[in-house]
Amino acid sequence: MGMLSTDELSFQRLVERTKRLARDDLKGNVWKVDAATKYLDRLYATMQKDRAIDRDLLQQYGLEVYQLRKLVEAEQQHRTEDKIRILDSLPDFEPKIAPVTETTSKAAEAPLFESSGGIRARNKAVYRKDLRQELLSSSKNAHEHDLTMTEHEDMHQHLANELLDLTRSLKTSMKLAGNVIREDNKRLDQMNHQVGSNKEKLAAESARLEKHAYKWCAFDCMIIVIFIFLFASFICMVIIMKIFPKVAVR
């Protein structure tokens, strides 16, 4: 292979650096990888106009950029399932791009330090691990939620039983209170009837006492009149005896 053009040299160096960023910490360097991928797109568009570059090699360049772009797109997804789905949609291929160091412009015989496919596989494994953790966490949360719901259901059942017992107790108390009230009403009716009867008896006794009182009053008046009459008779006799003294017998 001959000497590399300036654009191709810059492209290979930037691809290698971008892969290194993606391999070390794609999540922390996603904005750097995204910016580098956009610049690689512009370089790739420029190299497509260069007839000196082999078409197969140019196709490999395009696949490398495409996979880096998909890595960024996957990392920017919020759901882990979407990240894995995007990575699964990428085609598998063996890169044939020769690495370029900072001090040489010649291609070596060995492949790049790590292909985009290797980085994809590494990140897919990370995403699958995250997905398993999310599923385990979701399962744990669901189990805790089920336990909480069971506790709430038991609590609600306990409260319902307590309310039912309280209702039964209240019903029994109301029934007993009703019986007591009926008995009290019955006793009140009896007392009212007895009071009425006693009132009638008292009225009869009052009338009888009135009659007796009237009789005794007449008897007393008669005695007084007789006493006055006797007293007056006695006085009259004394007066007569004073006026007409007894003639002495000689």
Side-chain angles (χ1 to χ4, degrees):
M1 181 182 291
M3 296 291 295
L4 298 177
S5 64
T6 303
D7 291 336
E8 188 175 0
L9 179 62
S10 299
F11 182 87
Q12 289 194 11
R13 287 176 176 174
L14 186 56
V15 165
E16 185 177 357
R17 293 173 185 171
T18 307
K19 287 181 180 179
R20 189 179 301 113
L21 290 173
R23 182 194 65 220
D24 294 341
D25 183 14
L26 179 58
K27 185 176 181 180
N29 297 321
V30 64
W31 65 276
K32 294 181 181 179
V33 177
D34 185 33
T37 303
K38 292 177 181 178
Y39 187 71
L40 286 172
D41 280 330
R42 291 195 292 271
L43 286 177
Y44 179 70
T46 302
M47 288 190 299
Q48 283 182 318
K49 301 175 184 179
D50 190 352
R51 298 294 181 180
I53 301 176
D54 184 69
R55 296 295 97 181
D56 292 337
L57 185 59
L58 192 62
Q59 185 178 4
Q60 291 289 323
Y61 289 157
L63 289 174
E64 290 286 353
V65 175
Y66 176 74
Q67 294 222 17
L68 289 173
R69 188 186 308 115
K70 285 296 182 179
L71 286 174
V72 172
E73 181 182 350
E75 184 61 34
Q76 291 175 341
Q77 299 298 316
H78 297 290
R79 300 176 66 250
T80 308
E81 294 89 341
D82 295 336
K83 296 179 180 181
I84 296 176
R85 177 179 53 78
I86 292 175
L87 294 184
D88 286 338
S89 66
L90 293 176
D92 295 326
F93 73 98
E94 291 294 332
K96 299 179 182 179
I97 305 173
V100 177
T101 64
E102 298 292 337
T103 59
T104 180
S105 62
K106 295 183 178 181
E109 296 297 331
L112 282 172
F113 177 77
E114 185 172 10
S115 66
S116 298
I119 299 174
R120 179 192 66 183
R122 184 192 302 273
N123 284 279
K124 186 189 294 186
V126 173
Y127 295 154
R128 290 187 185 279
K129 181 180 178 181
D130 293 342
L131 182 60
R132 283 194 299 270
Q133 291 178 351
E134 289 177 3
L135 292 175
L136 290 174
S137 177
S138 176
S139 176
K140 182 178 179 181
N141 293 335
H143 180 65
E144 292 178 353
H145 178 70
D146 292 340
L147 290 177
T148 304
M149 290 298 296
T150 303
E151 291 177 358
H152 287 173
E153 289 177 359
D154 293 340
M155 186 182 298
H156 291 165
Q157 185 66 30
H158 180 67
L159 291 175
N161 292 333
E162 286 186 352
L163 288 175
L164 183 60
D165 294 338
L166 183 61
T167 303
R168 290 174 179 171
S169 177
L170 184 61
K171 184 178 180 181
T172 304
S173 300
M174 292 295 294
K175 186 176 181 181
L176 293 175
N179 294 333
V180 172
I181 291 173
R182 282 192 293 270
E183 291 179 359
D184 290 342
N185 290 333
K186 186 176 180 181
R187 290 179 181 177
L188 287 174
D189 292 338
Q190 292 176 354
M191 292 175 67
N192 289 330
H193 180 71
Q194 187 175 359
V195 167
S197 178
N198 292 336
K199 189 175 181 181
E200 291 177 358
K201 291 180 180 180
L202 183 61
E205 290 296 328
S206 297
R208 185 181 301 173
L209 286 174
E210 248 180 63
K211 290 181 181 180
H212 283 290
Y214 179 75
K215 289 180 180 179
W216 280 105
C217 184
F219 181 73
D220 290 340
C221 289
M222 186 180 295
I223 291 175
I224 293 171
V225 169
I226 292 171
F227 178 77
I228 293 172
F229 178 74
L230 292 174
F231 182 76
S233 298
F234 178 74
I235 295 297
C236 289
M237 288 177 65
V238 171
I239 292 172
I240 291 172
M241 288 177 70
K242 290 291 185 180
I243 296 174
F244 302 103
K246 186 177 179 181
V247 178
V249 179
R250 294 186 180 189

